[in-house]
Amino acid sequence: MTVSQEKPIDLYYWPTPNGWKISVMLEELGVPYEVKYVNIGRGEQFDPHFLSFSPNNRMPAIIDPEGPDGEPISVFESGAILQYLGRKFGKFYPQDERERVETDEWLMWQIGGFGPMLGQNHHFRHYAPEKVPYGIERYFNETHRLYKVLNRRLEGRDHVAAGQYTIADMAILGWALRWQRQGIDLEEFPDVKGWLDRLQAREGVQRGLAVGADDQHKLVIAEDKKAQSILFGQK
């Protein structure tokens, strides 16, 4: 069943691995959307309007004016957004239950491990005010382990789940693109490398990763003490 979208979906976004998940998905779907930039280095995620539908003060989030029964709906958390869009438009999220379970497994793998652990790797390698050897080693080792898991999964496969391109690929992609910053030698993981090359050849992926690319220079966290205090000093 083909679902049309007349009114644009509002995407609350900043160009980061989590934001890219949704910009890539929307570009792949080819549905109209409008980007509402949330500069996380300037504290815009704490705006009361944004908090009214994204209570964890994190982007991305969406507001779909054509939600269930034609009424607006807001969705926060990147995994929930991917699942919602996949269900609504019937694309990139298999309807077969076994294939959907497999897709969900790898989506949750990213949300529970491949994102948070790589994020901690970034923090201790690049942003921590003092070098903590234990933290650097701990999160590099876990990052390396997760890349091994992903490489093993991709051996003999073009995509991570269900024998097809899914929201699981979209979720993992942005974090894997930061392999250099994580201290990873991608030559160790040839199947991950091939998978990245295949995904980056997709026009939808290229367009999604380009959203807000001109704004990335506005948030260089390692050089921005104000951004660090906002992002790392929350209680």
PDB file of all heavy atoms in Angstrom, residues 17-53:
ATOM      1  N   PRO A  17      25.465  11.809  13.896  1.00  0.00           N
ATOM      2  CA  PRO A  17      25.052  10.445  13.522  1.00  0.00           C
ATOM      3  C   PRO A  17      23.598  10.138  13.841  1.00  0.00           C
ATOM      4  O   PRO A  17      22.935   9.434  13.054  1.00  0.00           O
ATOM      5  CB  PRO A  17      26.014   9.571  14.331  1.00  0.00           C
ATOM      6  CG  PRO A  17      27.264  10.393  14.406  1.00  0.00           C
ATOM      7  CD  PRO A  17      26.776  11.808  14.582  1.00  0.00           C
ATOM      8  N   ASN A  18      23.074  10.630  14.954  1.00  0.00           N
ATOM      9  CA  ASN A  18      21.668  10.361  15.259  1.00  0.00           C
ATOM     10  C   ASN A  18      20.736  11.165  14.367  1.00  0.00           C
ATOM     11  O   ASN A  18      19.694  10.672  13.939  1.00  0.00           O
ATOM     12  CB  ASN A  18      21.385  10.648  16.731  1.00  0.00           C
ATOM     13  CG  ASN A  18      21.938   9.575  17.645  1.00  0.00           C
ATOM     14  OD1 ASN A  18      22.093   8.426  17.248  1.00  0.00           O
ATOM     15  ND2 ASN A  18      22.256   9.935  18.877  1.00  0.00           N
ATOM     16  N   GLY A  19      21.093  12.395  14.077  1.00  0.00           N
ATOM     17  CA  GLY A  19      20.276  13.190  13.170  1.00  0.00           C
ATOM     18  C   GLY A  19      20.250  12.622  11.771  1.00  0.00           C
ATOM     19  O   GLY A  19      19.209  12.616  11.095  1.00  0.00           O
ATOM     20  N   TRP A  20      21.411  12.119  11.315  1.00  0.00           N
ATOM     21  CA  TRP A  20      21.487  11.572   9.955  1.00  0.00           C
ATOM     22  C   TRP A  20      20.556  10.390   9.760  1.00  0.00           C
ATOM     23  O   TRP A  20      20.085  10.153   8.640  1.00  0.00           O
ATOM     24  CB  TRP A  20      22.921  11.132   9.651  1.00  0.00           C
ATOM     25  CG  TRP A  20      23.880  12.252   9.505  1.00  0.00           C
ATOM     26  CD1 TRP A  20      23.618  13.528   9.081  1.00  0.00           C
ATOM     27  CD2 TRP A  20      25.287  12.219   9.789  1.00  0.00           C
ATOM     28  NE1 TRP A  20      24.761  14.280   9.083  1.00  0.00           N
ATOM     29  CE2 TRP A  20      25.799  13.506   9.514  1.00  0.00           C
ATOM     30  CE3 TRP A  20      26.154  11.228  10.251  1.00  0.00           C
ATOM     31  CZ2 TRP A  20      27.146  13.818   9.687  1.00  0.00           C
ATOM     32  CZ3 TRP A  20      27.479  11.529  10.418  1.00  0.00           C
ATOM     33  CH2 TRP A  20      27.977  12.816  10.135  1.00  0.00           C
ATOM     34  N   LYS A  21      20.305   9.628  10.818  1.00  0.00           N
ATOM     35  CA  LYS A  21      19.394   8.488  10.668  1.00  0.00           C
ATOM     36  C   LYS A  21      18.085   8.931  10.026  1.00  0.00           C
ATOM     37  O   LYS A  21      17.549   8.259   9.124  1.00  0.00           O
ATOM     38  CB  LYS A  21      19.073   7.859  12.026  1.00  0.00           C
ATOM     39  CG  LYS A  21      20.232   7.277  12.790  1.00  0.00           C
ATOM     40  CD  LYS A  21      19.747   6.791  14.150  1.00  0.00           C
ATOM     41  CE  LYS A  21      20.875   6.397  15.068  1.00  0.00           C
ATOM     42  NZ  LYS A  21      20.383   5.977  16.405  1.00  0.00           N
ATOM     43  N   ILE A  22      17.561  10.055  10.491  1.00  0.00           N
ATOM     44  CA  ILE A  22      16.228  10.476  10.056  1.00  0.00           C
ATOM     45  C   ILE A  22      16.287  11.254   8.752  1.00  0.00           C
ATOM     46  O   ILE A  22      15.399  11.106   7.901  1.00  0.00           O
ATOM     47  CB  ILE A  22      15.530  11.295  11.156  1.00  0.00           C
ATOM     48  CG1 ILE A  22      15.648  10.581  12.509  1.00  0.00           C
ATOM     49  CG2 ILE A  22      14.061  11.506  10.797  1.00  0.00           C
ATOM     50  CD1 ILE A  22      15.185   9.131  12.511  1.00  0.00           C
ATOM     51  N   SER A  23      17.306  12.077   8.559  1.00  0.00           N
ATOM     52  CA  SER A  23      17.405  12.778   7.279  1.00  0.00           C
ATOM     53  C   SER A  23      17.608  11.775   6.137  1.00  0.00           C
ATOM     54  O   SER A  23      17.030  11.932   5.050  1.00  0.00           O
ATOM     55  CB  SER A  23      18.529  13.817   7.310  1.00  0.00           C
ATOM     56  OG  SER A  23      19.787  13.229   7.567  1.00  0.00           O
ATOM     57  N   VAL A  24      18.394  10.729   6.378  1.00  0.00           N
ATOM     58  CA  VAL A  24      18.576   9.696   5.356  1.00  0.00           C
ATOM     59  C   VAL A  24      17.253   8.978   5.099  1.00  0.00           C
ATOM     60  O   VAL A  24      16.861   8.763   3.943  1.00  0.00           O
ATOM     61  CB  VAL A  24      19.678   8.703   5.778  1.00  0.00           C
ATOM     62  CG1 VAL A  24      19.644   7.449   4.900  1.00  0.00           C
ATOM     63  CG2 VAL A  24      21.055   9.352   5.700  1.00  0.00           C
ATOM     64  N   MET A  25      16.551   8.602   6.156  1.00  0.00           N
ATOM     65  CA  MET A  25      15.276   7.893   5.985  1.00  0.00           C
ATOM     66  C   MET A  25      14.281   8.734   5.186  1.00  0.00           C
ATOM     67  O   MET A  25      13.631   8.239   4.256  1.00  0.00           O
ATOM     68  CB  MET A  25      14.694   7.539   7.355  1.00  0.00           C
ATOM     69  CG  MET A  25      13.330   6.865   7.323  1.00  0.00           C
ATOM     70  SD  MET A  25      13.347   5.259   6.484  1.00  0.00           S
ATOM     71  CE  MET A  25      11.820   4.535   7.102  1.00  0.00           C
ATOM     72  N   LEU A  26      14.166  10.004   5.522  1.00  0.00           N
ATOM     73  CA  LEU A  26      13.203  10.856   4.823  1.00  0.00           C
ATOM     74  C   LEU A  26      13.601  11.056   3.366  1.00  0.00           C
ATOM     75  O   LEU A  26      12.734  11.075   2.479  1.00  0.00           O
ATOM     76  CB  LEU A  26      13.082  12.197   5.545  1.00  0.00           C
ATOM     77  CG  LEU A  26      12.371  12.133   6.902  1.00  0.00           C
ATOM     78  CD1 LEU A  26      12.570  13.437   7.674  1.00  0.00           C
ATOM     79  CD2 LEU A  26      10.877  11.851   6.717  1.00  0.00           C
ATOM     80  N   GLU A  27      14.889  11.181   3.108  1.00  0.00           N
ATOM     81  CA  GLU A  27      15.335  11.303   1.717  1.00  0.00           C
ATOM     82  C   GLU A  27      15.094  10.008   0.945  1.00  0.00           C
ATOM     83  O   GLU A  27      14.696  10.032  -0.223  1.00  0.00           O
ATOM     84  CB  GLU A  27      16.813  11.683   1.664  1.00  0.00           C
ATOM     85  CG  GLU A  27      17.095  13.124   2.064  1.00  0.00           C
ATOM     86  CD  GLU A  27      16.581  14.133   1.050  1.00  0.00           C
ATOM     87  OE1 GLU A  27      16.280  13.740  -0.100  1.00  0.00           O
ATOM     88  OE2 GLU A  27      16.461  15.321   1.404  1.00  0.00           O
ATOM     89  N   GLU A  28      15.341   8.883   1.587  1.00  0.00           N
ATOM     90  CA  GLU A  28      15.090   7.601   0.923  1.00  0.00           C
ATOM     91  C   GLU A  28      13.600   7.419   0.635  1.00  0.00           C
ATOM     92  O   GLU A  28      13.219   6.869  -0.405  1.00  0.00           O
ATOM     93  CB  GLU A  28      15.609   6.450   1.780  1.00  0.00           C
ATOM     94  CG  GLU A  28      17.130   6.377   1.896  1.00  0.00           C
ATOM     95  CD  GLU A  28      17.798   5.742   0.688  1.00  0.00           C
ATOM     96  OE1 GLU A  28      17.164   5.651  -0.383  1.00  0.00           O
ATOM     97  OE2 GLU A  28      18.966   5.326   0.809  1.00  0.00           O
ATOM     98  N   LEU A  29      12.757   7.869   1.542  1.00  0.00           N
ATOM     99  CA  LEU A  29      11.315   7.752   1.333  1.00  0.00           C
ATOM    100  C   LEU A  29      10.815   8.709   0.257  1.00  0.00           C
ATOM    101  O   LEU A  29       9.793   8.448  -0.392  1.00  0.00           O
ATOM    102  CB  LEU A  29      10.574   8.034   2.647  1.00  0.00           C
ATOM    103  CG  LEU A  29      10.686   6.981   3.739  1.00  0.00           C
ATOM    104  CD1 LEU A  29      10.125   7.514   5.054  1.00  0.00           C
ATOM    105  CD2 LEU A  29       9.965   5.699   3.337  1.00  0.00           C
ATOM    106  N   GLY A  30      11.502   9.835   0.100  1.00  0.00           N
ATOM    107  CA  GLY A  30      11.084  10.823  -0.885  1.00  0.00           C
ATOM    108  C   GLY A  30       9.830  11.575  -0.496  1.00  0.00           C
ATOM    109  O   GLY A  30       9.082  12.042  -1.366  1.00  0.00           O
ATOM    110  N   VAL A  31       9.600  11.722   0.818  1.00  0.00           N
ATOM    111  CA  VAL A  31       8.421  12.450   1.278  1.00  0.00           C
ATOM    112  C   VAL A  31       8.824  13.877   1.651  1.00  0.00           C
ATOM    113  O   VAL A  31       9.982  14.138   2.000  1.00  0.00           O
ATOM    114  CB  VAL A  31       7.759  11.746   2.481  1.00  0.00           C
ATOM    115  CG1 VAL A  31       7.305  10.351   2.084  1.00  0.00           C
ATOM    116  CG2 VAL A  31       8.702  11.674   3.678  1.00  0.00           C
ATOM    117  N   PRO A  32       7.888  14.823   1.591  1.00  0.00           N
ATOM    118  CA  PRO A  32       8.229  16.209   1.927  1.00  0.00           C
ATOM    119  C   PRO A  32       8.512  16.367   3.417  1.00  0.00           C
ATOM    120  O   PRO A  32       7.820  15.796   4.261  1.00  0.00           O
ATOM    121  CB  PRO A  32       6.990  16.994   1.514  1.00  0.00           C
ATOM    122  CG  PRO A  32       5.870  16.000   1.554  1.00  0.00           C
ATOM    123  CD  PRO A  32       6.477  14.686   1.165  1.00  0.00           C
ATOM    124  N   TYR A  33       9.544  17.129   3.723  1.00  0.00           N
ATOM    125  CA  TYR A  33       9.847  17.427   5.114  1.00  0.00           C
ATOM    126  C   TYR A  33      10.533  18.785   5.207  1.00  0.00           C
ATOM    127  O   TYR A  33      11.104  19.273   4.234  1.00  0.00           O
ATOM    128  CB  TYR A  33      10.702  16.339   5.759  1.00  0.00           C
ATOM    129  CG  TYR A  33      12.134  16.237   5.289  1.00  0.00           C
ATOM    130  CD1 TYR A  33      13.166  16.792   6.039  1.00  0.00           C
ATOM    131  CD2 TYR A  33      12.463  15.559   4.113  1.00  0.00           C
ATOM    132  CE1 TYR A  33      14.490  16.681   5.607  1.00  0.00           C
ATOM    133  CE2 TYR A  33      13.774  15.432   3.692  1.00  0.00           C
ATOM    134  CZ  TYR A  33      14.792  16.002   4.441  1.00  0.00           C
ATOM    135  OH  TYR A  33      16.097  15.894   4.031  1.00  0.00           O
ATOM    136  N   GLU A  34      10.438  19.372   6.375  1.00  0.00           N
ATOM    137  CA  GLU A  34      11.041  20.683   6.624  1.00  0.00           C
ATOM    138  C   GLU A  34      11.961  20.566   7.821  1.00  0.00           C
ATOM    139  O   GLU A  34      11.563  20.063   8.876  1.00  0.00           O
ATOM    140  CB  GLU A  34       9.953  21.725   6.890  1.00  0.00           C
ATOM    141  CG  GLU A  34      10.489  23.131   7.071  1.00  0.00           C
ATOM    142  CD  GLU A  34       9.390  24.163   7.185  1.00  0.00           C
ATOM    143  OE1 GLU A  34       8.255  23.897   6.720  1.00  0.00           O
ATOM    144  OE2 GLU A  34       9.661  25.240   7.760  1.00  0.00           O
ATOM    145  N   VAL A  35      13.192  21.012   7.653  1.00  0.00           N
ATOM    146  CA  VAL A  35      14.186  20.897   8.710  1.00  0.00           C
ATOM    147  C   VAL A  35      14.067  22.071   9.675  1.00  0.00           C
ATOM    148  O   VAL A  35      14.033  23.232   9.255  1.00  0.00           O
ATOM    149  CB  VAL A  35      15.612  20.842   8.127  1.00  0.00           C
ATOM    150  CG1 VAL A  35      16.643  20.742   9.249  1.00  0.00           C
ATOM    151  CG2 VAL A  35      15.758  19.661   7.177  1.00  0.00           C
ATOM    152  N   LYS A  36      13.987  21.739  10.943  1.00  0.00           N
ATOM    153  CA  LYS A  36      14.012  22.723  12.022  1.00  0.00           C
ATOM    154  C   LYS A  36      15.315  22.492  12.791  1.00  0.00           C
ATOM    155  O   LYS A  36      15.423  21.537  13.558  1.00  0.00           O
ATOM    156  CB  LYS A  36      12.819  22.536  12.958  1.00  0.00           C
ATOM    157  CG  LYS A  36      11.465  22.460  12.266  1.00  0.00           C
ATOM    158  CD  LYS A  36      11.003  23.817  11.784  1.00  0.00           C
ATOM    159  CE  LYS A  36       9.575  23.748  11.268  1.00  0.00           C
ATOM    160  NZ  LYS A  36       9.076  25.065  10.798  1.00  0.00           N
ATOM    161  N   TYR A  37      16.283  23.330  12.557  1.00  0.00           N
ATOM    162  CA  TYR A  37      17.595  23.094  13.163  1.00  0.00           C
ATOM    163  C   TYR A  37      17.560  23.331  14.663  1.00  0.00           C
ATOM    164  O   TYR A  37      16.977  24.306  15.149  1.00  0.00           O
ATOM    165  CB  TYR A  37      18.650  23.972  12.505  1.00  0.00           C
ATOM    166  CG  TYR A  37      18.992  23.518  11.110  1.00  0.00           C
ATOM    167  CD1 TYR A  37      18.462  24.166   9.991  1.00  0.00           C
ATOM    168  CD2 TYR A  37      19.806  22.408  10.904  1.00  0.00           C
ATOM    169  CE1 TYR A  37      18.755  23.730   8.710  1.00  0.00           C
ATOM    170  CE2 TYR A  37      20.105  21.966   9.623  1.00  0.00           C
ATOM    171  CZ  TYR A  37      19.578  22.633   8.534  1.00  0.00           C
ATOM    172  OH  TYR A  37      19.862  22.181   7.271  1.00  0.00           O
ATOM    173  N   VAL A  38      18.176  22.399  15.392  1.00  0.00           N
ATOM    174  CA  VAL A  38      18.302  22.478  16.851  1.00  0.00           C
ATOM    175  C   VAL A  38      19.800  22.475  17.147  1.00  0.00           C
ATOM    176  O   VAL A  38      20.436  21.420  17.167  1.00  0.00           O
ATOM    177  CB  VAL A  38      17.611  21.287  17.542  1.00  0.00           C
ATOM    178  CG1 VAL A  38      17.740  21.406  19.061  1.00  0.00           C
ATOM    179  CG2 VAL A  38      16.142  21.200  17.135  1.00  0.00           C
ATOM    180  N   ASN A  39      20.383  23.647  17.339  1.00  0.00           N
ATOM    181  CA  ASN A  39      21.817  23.753  17.581  1.00  0.00           C
ATOM    182  C   ASN A  39      22.114  23.289  18.997  1.00  0.00           C
ATOM    183  O   ASN A  39      21.959  24.030  19.965  1.00  0.00           O
ATOM    184  CB  ASN A  39      22.299  25.189  17.368  1.00  0.00           C
ATOM    185  CG  ASN A  39      23.819  25.296  17.388  1.00  0.00           C
ATOM    186  OD1 ASN A  39      24.501  24.517  18.057  1.00  0.00           O
ATOM    187  ND2 ASN A  39      24.351  26.261  16.662  1.00  0.00           N
ATOM    188  N   ILE A  40      22.539  22.042  19.113  1.00  0.00           N
ATOM    189  CA  ILE A  40      22.732  21.438  20.433  1.00  0.00           C
ATOM    190  C   ILE A  40      23.922  22.030  21.177  1.00  0.00           C
ATOM    191  O   ILE A  40      24.022  21.888  22.395  1.00  0.00           O
ATOM    192  CB  ILE A  40      22.885  19.910  20.309  1.00  0.00           C
ATOM    193  CG1 ILE A  40      24.063  19.532  19.395  1.00  0.00           C
ATOM    194  CG2 ILE A  40      21.593  19.286  19.806  1.00  0.00           C
ATOM    195  CD1 ILE A  40      24.325  18.043  19.300  1.00  0.00           C
ATOM    196  N   GLY A  41      24.811  22.703  20.460  1.00  0.00           N
ATOM    197  CA  GLY A  41      25.938  23.353  21.122  1.00  0.00           C
ATOM    198  C   GLY A  41      25.609  24.714  21.684  1.00  0.00           C
ATOM    199  O   GLY A  41      26.430  25.314  22.387  1.00  0.00           O
ATOM    200  N   ARG A  42      24.395  25.191  21.401  1.00  0.00           N
ATOM    201  CA  ARG A  42      23.937  26.481  21.917  1.00  0.00           C
ATOM    202  C   ARG A  42      22.726  26.329  22.828  1.00  0.00           C
ATOM    203  O   ARG A  42      22.082  27.300  23.183  1.00  0.00           O
ATOM    204  CB  ARG A  42      23.634  27.435  20.758  1.00  0.00           C
ATOM    205  CG  ARG A  42      24.885  27.838  19.963  1.00  0.00           C
ATOM    206  CD  ARG A  42      25.838  28.652  20.816  1.00  0.00           C
ATOM    207  NE  ARG A  42      27.101  28.919  20.140  1.00  0.00           N
ATOM    208  CZ  ARG A  42      28.205  28.228  20.360  1.00  0.00           C
ATOM    209  NH1 ARG A  42      28.208  27.193  21.195  1.00  0.00           N
ATOM    210  NH2 ARG A  42      29.322  28.544  19.736  1.00  0.00           N
ATOM    211  N   GLY A  43      22.396  25.093  23.145  1.00  0.00           N
ATOM    212  CA  GLY A  43      21.345  24.847  24.122  1.00  0.00           C
ATOM    213  C   GLY A  43      19.936  24.938  23.589  1.00  0.00           C
ATOM    214  O   GLY A  43      18.982  24.999  24.382  1.00  0.00           O
ATOM    215  N   GLU A  44      19.768  24.923  22.265  1.00  0.00           N
ATOM    216  CA  GLU A  44      18.418  25.051  21.705  1.00  0.00           C
ATOM    217  C   GLU A  44      17.541  23.846  22.011  1.00  0.00           C
ATOM    218  O   GLU A  44      16.320  23.923  21.892  1.00  0.00           O
ATOM    219  CB  GLU A  44      18.508  25.295  20.199  1.00  0.00           C
ATOM    220  CG  GLU A  44      19.148  26.631  19.872  1.00  0.00           C
ATOM    221  CD  GLU A  44      19.330  26.875  18.378  1.00  0.00           C
ATOM    222  OE1 GLU A  44      18.867  26.031  17.567  1.00  0.00           O
ATOM    223  OE2 GLU A  44      19.928  27.907  18.017  1.00  0.00           O
ATOM    224  N   GLN A  45      18.159  22.738  22.434  1.00  0.00           N
ATOM    225  CA  GLN A  45      17.385  21.551  22.806  1.00  0.00           C
ATOM    226  C   GLN A  45      16.633  21.738  24.126  1.00  0.00           C
ATOM    227  O   GLN A  45      15.819  20.888  24.496  1.00  0.00           O
ATOM    228  CB  GLN A  45      18.293  20.316  22.888  1.00  0.00           C
ATOM    229  CG  GLN A  45      19.339  20.349  23.986  1.00  0.00           C
ATOM    230  CD  GLN A  45      20.647  20.983  23.538  1.00  0.00           C
ATOM    231  OE1 GLN A  45      20.643  21.952  22.784  1.00  0.00           O
ATOM    232  NE2 GLN A  45      21.761  20.436  23.990  1.00  0.00           N
ATOM    233  N   PHE A  46      16.896  22.838  24.824  1.00  0.00           N
ATOM    234  CA  PHE A  46      16.203  23.111  26.082  1.00  0.00           C
ATOM    235  C   PHE A  46      15.066  24.104  25.917  1.00  0.00           C
ATOM    236  O   PHE A  46      14.429  24.497  26.897  1.00  0.00           O
ATOM    237  CB  PHE A  46      17.193  23.629  27.126  1.00  0.00           C
ATOM    238  CG  PHE A  46      18.307  22.666  27.422  1.00  0.00           C
ATOM    239  CD1 PHE A  46      19.582  22.896  26.952  1.00  0.00           C
ATOM    240  CD2 PHE A  46      18.072  21.512  28.154  1.00  0.00           C
ATOM    241  CE1 PHE A  46      20.615  21.996  27.201  1.00  0.00           C
ATOM    242  CE2 PHE A  46      19.085  20.611  28.415  1.00  0.00           C
ATOM    243  CZ  PHE A  46      20.366  20.846  27.937  1.00  0.00           C
ATOM    244  N   ASP A  47      14.799  24.508  24.687  1.00  0.00           N
ATOM    245  CA  ASP A  47      13.682  25.411  24.428  1.00  0.00           C
ATOM    246  C   ASP A  47      12.370  24.749  24.867  1.00  0.00           C
ATOM    247  O   ASP A  47      12.133  23.567  24.571  1.00  0.00           O
ATOM    248  CB  ASP A  47      13.627  25.737  22.931  1.00  0.00           C
ATOM    249  CG  ASP A  47      12.475  26.640  22.584  1.00  0.00           C
ATOM    250  OD1 ASP A  47      12.628  27.862  22.698  1.00  0.00           O
ATOM    251  OD2 ASP A  47      11.398  26.105  22.210  1.00  0.00           O
ATOM    252  N   PRO A  48      11.510  25.455  25.589  1.00  0.00           N
ATOM    253  CA  PRO A  48      10.266  24.844  26.091  1.00  0.00           C
ATOM    254  C   PRO A  48       9.409  24.219  25.002  1.00  0.00           C
ATOM    255  O   PRO A  48       8.783  23.173  25.229  1.00  0.00           O
ATOM    256  CB  PRO A  48       9.551  26.015  26.777  1.00  0.00           C
ATOM    257  CG  PRO A  48      10.657  26.932  27.200  1.00  0.00           C
ATOM    258  CD  PRO A  48      11.685  26.831  26.112  1.00  0.00           C
ATOM    259  N   HIS A  49       9.366  24.837  23.833  1.00  0.00           N
ATOM    260  CA  HIS A  49       8.566  24.249  22.746  1.00  0.00           C
ATOM    261  C   HIS A  49       9.126  22.899  22.353  1.00  0.00           C
ATOM    262  O   HIS A  49       8.376  21.925  22.196  1.00  0.00           O
ATOM    263  CB  HIS A  49       8.548  25.186  21.538  1.00  0.00           C
ATOM    264  CG  HIS A  49       7.901  24.584  20.326  1.00  0.00           C
ATOM    265  ND1 HIS A  49       6.558  24.238  20.293  1.00  0.00           N
ATOM    266  CD2 HIS A  49       8.413  24.239  19.110  1.00  0.00           C
ATOM    267  CE1 HIS A  49       6.273  23.714  19.111  1.00  0.00           C
ATOM    268  NE2 HIS A  49       7.377  23.695  18.380  1.00  0.00           N
ATOM    269  N   PHE A  50      10.451  22.813  22.202  1.00  0.00           N
ATOM    270  CA  PHE A  50      11.068  21.538  21.830  1.00  0.00           C
ATOM    271  C   PHE A  50      10.850  20.492  22.920  1.00  0.00           C
ATOM    272  O   PHE A  50      10.526  19.338  22.636  1.00  0.00           O
ATOM    273  CB  PHE A  50      12.558  21.741  21.561  1.00  0.00           C
ATOM    274  CG  PHE A  50      13.273  20.498  21.113  1.00  0.00           C
ATOM    275  CD1 PHE A  50      12.989  19.909  19.895  1.00  0.00           C
ATOM    276  CD2 PHE A  50      14.238  19.901  21.912  1.00  0.00           C
ATOM    277  CE1 PHE A  50      13.645  18.757  19.471  1.00  0.00           C
ATOM    278  CE2 PHE A  50      14.901  18.759  21.499  1.00  0.00           C
ATOM    279  CZ  PHE A  50      14.598  18.187  20.283  1.00  0.00           C
ATOM    280  N   LEU A  51      10.995  20.893  24.179  1.00  0.00           N
ATOM    281  CA  LEU A  51      10.813  19.955  25.285  1.00  0.00           C
ATOM    282  C   LEU A  51       9.383  19.442  25.390  1.00  0.00           C
ATOM    283  O   LEU A  51       9.149  18.371  25.947  1.00  0.00           O
ATOM    284  CB  LEU A  51      11.209  20.619  26.603  1.00  0.00           C
ATOM    285  CG  LEU A  51      12.707  20.844  26.822  1.00  0.00           C
ATOM    286  CD1 LEU A  51      12.935  21.665  28.092  1.00  0.00           C
ATOM    287  CD2 LEU A  51      13.451  19.521  26.914  1.00  0.00           C
ATOM    288  N   SER A  52       8.438  20.190  24.831  1.00  0.00           N
ATOM    289  CA  SER A  52       7.038  19.765  24.927  1.00  0.00           C
ATOM    290  C   SER A  52       6.784  18.475  24.152  1.00  0.00           C
ATOM    291  O   SER A  52       5.828  17.751  24.450  1.00  0.00           O
ATOM    292  CB  SER A  52       6.107  20.876  24.420  1.00  0.00           C
ATOM    293  OG  SER A  52       6.235  21.049  23.011  1.00  0.00           O
ATOM    294  N   PHE A  53       7.632  18.165  23.171  1.00  0.00           N
ATOM    295  CA  PHE A  53       7.464  16.900  22.438  1.00  0.00           C
ATOM    296  C   PHE A  53       8.736  16.060  22.408  1.00  0.00           C
ATOM    297  O   PHE A  53       8.719  14.945  21.903  1.00  0.00           O
ATOM    298  CB  PHE A  53       6.953  17.161  21.003  1.00  0.00           C
ATOM    299  CG  PHE A  53       7.791  18.104  20.205  1.00  0.00           C
ATOM    300  CD1 PHE A  53       8.893  17.659  19.507  1.00  0.00           C
ATOM    301  CD2 PHE A  53       7.460  19.457  20.154  1.00  0.00           C
ATOM    302  CE1 PHE A  53       9.667  18.528  18.763  1.00  0.00           C
ATOM    303  CE2 PHE A  53       8.226  20.341  19.408  1.00  0.00           C
ATOM    304  CZ  PHE A  53       9.333  19.872  18.711  1.00  0.00           C
TER     305      PHE A  53
END
